[in-house]
Amino acid sequence: MEISTQDNKNKIPLDVLSALTEDDKVTQRSLSSKLGIALGLINVYMKRAMDKGLVKIKHVPKNRYLYYLTPKGFTEKAKLTAEYLKTSLTFYRKARIECDKIIFNLKKSGLKKVVLSDKNDLAEIFILSALGTKIKIIGLLGKNEIFFGLPVFSNFPKSDKVDAVIITSIENVEQRHTDISKHIDKNKIIIPSFLRNKIGNI
Protein backbone atom coordinates (compact mmCIF):
# COMPACT_ATOMS: atom_id res chain seq x y z
CA MET A 1 0.00 0.00 0.00
CA GLU A 2 1.51 3.32 -1.04
CA ILE A 3 0.81 6.53 0.83
CA SER A 4 2.68 9.57 -0.39
CA THR A 5 2.82 13.33 -0.27
CA GLN A 6 1.40 13.16 -3.79
CA ASP A 7 -1.98 12.17 -2.30
CA ASN A 8 -2.02 15.36 -0.27
CA LYS A 9 -0.85 17.46 -3.23
CA ASN A 10 -3.67 16.07 -5.33
CA LYS A 11 -6.16 17.13 -2.66
CA ILE A 12 -5.10 20.79 -2.69
CA PRO A 13 -6.50 21.51 -6.20
CA LEU A 14 -9.76 19.82 -5.14
CA ASP A 15 -9.95 21.94 -1.98
CA VAL A 16 -9.31 25.10 -3.99
CA LEU A 17 -11.95 24.30 -6.62
CA SER A 18 -14.44 23.30 -3.90
CA ALA A 19 -13.89 26.58 -2.07
CA LEU A 20 -14.54 28.49 -5.30
CA THR A 21 -17.79 26.59 -5.72
CA GLU A 22 -18.95 27.45 -2.21
CA ASP A 23 -18.07 31.15 -2.27
CA ASP A 24 -18.29 33.46 -5.29
CA LYS A 25 -16.52 36.26 -3.41
CA VAL A 26 -13.36 34.34 -2.63
CA THR A 27 -9.93 35.92 -2.96
CA GLN A 28 -6.48 34.34 -2.85
CA ARG A 29 -5.99 35.68 0.66
CA SER A 30 -9.31 34.30 1.91
CA LEU A 31 -8.51 30.95 0.25
CA SER A 32 -5.15 30.87 2.02
CA SER A 33 -6.81 31.54 5.37
CA LYS A 34 -9.69 29.10 4.86
CA LEU A 35 -7.59 26.18 3.61
CA GLY A 36 -4.52 26.80 5.78
CA ILE A 37 -2.28 26.91 2.71
CA ALA A 38 0.50 29.47 2.16
CA LEU A 39 -0.57 32.43 0.03
CA GLY A 40 2.31 31.83 -2.40
CA LEU A 41 1.16 28.23 -2.97
CA ILE A 42 -2.42 29.39 -3.53
CA ASN A 43 -1.09 31.84 -6.12
CA VAL A 44 0.70 29.03 -7.97
CA TYR A 45 -2.42 26.81 -8.04
CA MET A 46 -4.64 29.67 -9.17
CA LYS A 47 -2.30 30.50 -12.07
CA ARG A 48 -2.28 26.85 -13.13
CA ALA A 49 -6.07 26.67 -12.89
CA MET A 50 -6.45 29.79 -15.01
CA ASP A 51 -3.95 28.50 -17.58
CA LYS A 52 -6.03 25.32 -17.87
CA GLY A 53 -9.24 27.31 -18.25
CA LEU A 54 -10.68 26.00 -14.97
CA VAL A 55 -10.94 29.39 -13.30
CA LYS A 56 -11.60 32.92 -14.49
CA ILE A 57 -10.77 36.17 -12.76
CA LYS A 58 -13.01 39.18 -12.18
CA HIS A 59 -11.76 42.64 -11.23
CA VAL A 60 -13.79 44.46 -8.57
CA PRO A 61 -13.38 47.90 -6.94
CA LYS A 62 -10.47 48.65 -4.58
CA ASN A 63 -8.06 46.70 -6.79
CA ARG A 64 -9.43 43.34 -5.67
CA TYR A 65 -9.81 40.23 -7.76
CA LEU A 66 -12.44 37.54 -7.42
CA TYR A 67 -12.24 34.06 -8.91
CA TYR A 68 -14.94 31.76 -10.19
CA LEU A 69 -15.13 28.32 -11.79
CA THR A 70 -15.75 27.87 -15.49
CA PRO A 71 -17.87 24.95 -16.79
CA LYS A 72 -14.56 23.16 -17.43
CA GLY A 73 -13.63 23.86 -13.80
CA PHE A 74 -16.83 22.24 -12.53
CA THR A 75 -16.09 19.16 -14.64
CA GLU A 76 -12.54 18.98 -13.29
CA LYS A 77 -13.81 19.33 -9.70
CA ALA A 78 -16.20 16.40 -10.21
CA LYS A 79 -13.36 14.30 -11.62
CA LEU A 80 -10.99 15.17 -8.74
CA THR A 81 -13.73 14.42 -6.19
CA ALA A 82 -14.32 10.96 -7.67
CA GLU A 83 -10.58 10.21 -7.71
CA TYR A 84 -10.13 11.40 -4.12
CA LEU A 85 -13.03 9.30 -2.82
CA LYS A 86 -11.71 6.24 -4.64
CA THR A 87 -8.21 6.73 -3.18
CA SER A 88 -9.64 7.35 0.31
CA LEU A 89 -11.77 4.20 0.23
CA THR A 90 -8.84 2.11 -1.00
CA PHE A 91 -6.65 3.51 1.76
CA TYR A 92 -9.29 2.84 4.41
CA ARG A 93 -9.90 -0.78 3.35
CA LYS A 94 -6.21 -1.70 3.22
CA ALA A 95 -5.35 0.22 6.37
CA ARG A 96 -8.23 -1.37 8.30
CA ILE A 97 -7.01 -4.88 7.42
CA GLU A 98 -3.47 -4.00 8.55
CA CYS A 99 -4.69 -2.31 11.75
CA ASP A 100 -6.88 -5.28 12.66
CA LYS A 101 -3.88 -7.57 12.12
CA ILE A 102 -1.64 -5.47 14.39
CA ILE A 103 -4.31 -5.28 17.10
CA PHE A 104 -4.76 -9.09 16.90
CA ASN A 105 -0.99 -9.66 17.24
CA LEU A 106 -0.80 -7.30 20.23
CA LYS A 107 -3.60 -9.21 21.92
CA LYS A 108 -1.89 -12.51 21.12
CA SER A 109 1.36 -11.23 22.68
CA GLY A 110 -0.43 -10.03 25.81
CA LEU A 111 0.37 -6.37 25.12
CA LYS A 112 -2.48 -4.09 26.11
CA LYS A 113 -1.39 -0.48 26.69
CA VAL A 114 -0.72 1.24 23.36
CA VAL A 115 0.26 4.75 22.29
CA LEU A 116 -0.20 6.07 18.74
CA SER A 117 2.55 8.32 17.38
CA ASP A 118 0.44 10.88 15.48
CA LYS A 119 -3.08 12.25 15.08
CA ASN A 120 -4.45 11.53 11.61
CA ASP A 121 -6.75 9.26 9.59
CA LEU A 122 -4.57 6.23 10.26
CA ALA A 123 -4.77 6.83 14.02
CA GLU A 124 -8.57 6.98 13.73
CA ILE A 125 -8.60 3.57 12.03
CA PHE A 126 -6.42 2.07 14.78
CA ILE A 127 -8.79 3.47 17.41
CA LEU A 128 -11.73 1.85 15.61
CA SER A 129 -9.86 -1.45 15.29
CA ALA A 130 -9.18 -1.51 19.03
CA LEU A 131 -12.82 -1.01 20.00
CA GLY A 132 -14.31 -4.09 21.64
CA THR A 133 -10.88 -5.64 22.26
CA LYS A 134 -8.70 -5.79 25.37
CA ILE A 135 -6.21 -3.45 23.70
CA LYS A 136 -6.30 -0.04 25.37
CA ILE A 137 -5.03 2.93 23.40
CA ILE A 138 -3.99 5.16 26.27
CA GLY A 139 -3.32 8.21 24.09
CA LEU A 140 -1.45 9.80 21.22
CA LEU A 141 1.67 11.94 20.93
CA GLY A 142 1.34 15.60 20.03
CA LYS A 143 0.15 18.84 21.53
CA ASN A 144 -2.00 18.55 24.65
CA GLU A 145 -5.66 18.16 23.68
CA ILE A 146 -8.24 15.43 23.14
CA PHE A 147 -8.46 13.24 20.04
CA PHE A 148 -11.49 10.95 19.69
CA GLY A 149 -11.90 11.11 23.45
CA LEU A 150 -8.28 10.10 24.07
CA PRO A 151 -5.57 12.26 25.69
CA VAL A 152 -2.77 13.70 23.58
CA PHE A 153 0.63 13.76 25.31
CA SER A 154 3.09 16.58 24.66
CA ASN A 155 5.64 14.57 26.67
CA PHE A 156 6.21 10.86 26.24
CA PRO A 157 4.43 8.93 29.03
CA LYS A 158 6.51 6.82 31.40
CA SER A 159 7.84 3.86 29.40
CA ASP A 160 6.80 1.36 32.06
CA LYS A 161 3.18 2.44 31.45
CA VAL A 162 3.39 1.66 27.72
CA ASP A 163 3.49 -1.82 26.18
CA ALA A 164 3.84 -0.64 22.57
CA VAL A 165 3.91 2.44 20.34
CA ILE A 166 2.38 2.22 16.88
CA ILE A 167 3.77 4.56 14.27
CA THR A 168 0.88 6.35 12.59
CA SER A 169 2.92 9.10 10.95
CA ILE A 170 2.51 8.96 7.18
CA GLU A 171 5.08 11.51 6.04
CA ASN A 172 7.96 11.24 8.55
CA VAL A 173 8.05 7.57 9.46
CA GLU A 174 11.79 7.16 9.93
CA GLN A 175 12.17 10.39 11.92
CA ARG A 176 9.24 9.50 14.18
CA HIS A 177 10.78 6.08 14.81
CA THR A 178 14.11 7.72 15.70
CA ASP A 179 12.46 10.21 18.06
CA ILE A 180 10.32 7.62 19.83
CA SER A 181 13.21 5.14 20.21
CA LYS A 182 14.80 7.70 22.55
CA HIS A 183 12.00 7.06 25.03
CA ILE A 184 11.18 3.38 24.63
CA ASP A 185 12.85 0.13 23.52
CA LYS A 186 12.84 -0.22 19.72
CA ASN A 187 11.29 -3.67 20.09
CA LYS A 188 8.17 -1.98 21.44
CA ILE A 189 7.76 0.24 18.37
CA ILE A 190 5.45 -1.13 15.68
CA ILE A 191 5.52 0.13 12.10
CA PRO A 192 2.60 -0.90 9.85
CA SER A 193 3.88 -2.88 6.87
CA PHE A 194 2.61 -0.37 4.29
CA LEU A 195 4.79 2.35 5.86
CA ARG A 196 8.00 0.34 5.78
CA ASN A 197 8.87 1.44 2.25
CA LYS A 198 9.40 4.93 3.73
CA ILE A 199 12.23 3.90 6.04
CA GLY A 200 15.80 2.66 5.81
CA ASN A 201 17.22 -0.27 7.71
CA ILE A 202 15.21 -0.08 10.92
Side-chain angles (χ1 to χ4, degrees):
M1 177 177 175
E2 177 67 21
I3 305 171
S4 68
T5 53
Q6 189 63 37
D7 296 327
N8 291 329
K9 288 179 181 178
N10 289 342
K11 189 173 182 296
I12 294 176
L14 173 58
D15 288 342
V16 170
L17 295 182
S18 296
L20 290 173
T21 305
E22 296 166 6
D23 185 357
D24 61 359
K25 294 182 176 59
V26 73
T27 64
Q28 287 196 23
R29 192 169 296 281
S30 65
L31 272 175
S32 173
S33 176
K34 180 176 182 178
L35 302 178
I37 300 171
L39 185 57
L41 190 55
I42 288 290
N43 183 261
V44 170
Y45 278 107
M46 294 303 284
K47 284 182 178 178
R48 288 179 184 170
M50 286 187 283
D51 289 343
K52 293 178 180 179
L54 307 178
V55 173
K56 284 193 175 181
I57 189 171
K58 178 169 60 176
H59 181 262
V60 293
K62 297 182 181 179
N63 293 320
R64 293 175 66 236
Y65 297 93
L66 301 180
Y67 302 86
Y68 61 95
L69 287 188
T70 64
K72 186 177 179 181
F74 279 102
T75 301
E76 180 68 9
K77 176 181 171 292
K79 175 186 169 186
L80 289 173
T81 299
E83 290 175 353
Y84 176 71
L85 289 174
K86 181 180 178 181
T87 300
S88 297
L89 287 171
T90 299
F91 166 74
Y92 179 84
R93 290 192 191 102
K94 292 184 178 180
R96 185 60 192 262
I97 291 171
E98 174 72 5
C99 292
D100 286 347
K101 179 180 177 182
I102 289 174
I103 293 296
F104 175 80
N105 287 336
L106 285 170
K107 181 181 176 183
K108 189 176 178 181
S109 301
L111 305 176
K112 296 180 180 179
K113 295 173 289 186
V114 176
V115 168
L116 304 178
S117 75
D118 295 84
K119 303 174 294 179
N120 52 25
D121 292 345
L122 183 55
E124 291 180 23
I125 297 171
F126 267 111
I127 292 169
L128 290 173
S129 293
L131 290 177
T133 73
K134 293 183 179 180
I135 302 302
K136 181 180 180 182
I137 297 178
I138 61 176
L140 303 90
L141 302 179
K143 293 182 179 179
N144 280 323
E145 56 182 87
I146 299 296
F147 184 82
F148 275 70
L150 297 171
V152 179
F153 309 118
S154 57
N155 295 315
F156 198 91
K158 292 182 179 180
S159 59
D160 61 347
K161 303 291 185 181
V162 180
D163 292 329
V165 177
I166 300 175
I167 299 292
T168 53
S169 171
I170 292 175
E171 303 301 335
N172 304 298
V173 180
E174 190 163 0
Q175 185 59 52
R176 291 301 281 149
H177 182 277
T178 299
D179 293 342
I180 292 168
S181 64
K182 295 174 184 176
H183 302 281
I184 197 168
D185 191 296
K186 289 183 179 181
N187 293 326
K188 292 187 175 183
I189 303 175
I190 299 169
I191 303 175
S193 62
F194 55 79
L195 295 179
R196 288 191 169 274
N197 63 331
K198 296 178 176 291
I199 59 179
N201 297 317
I202 292 178

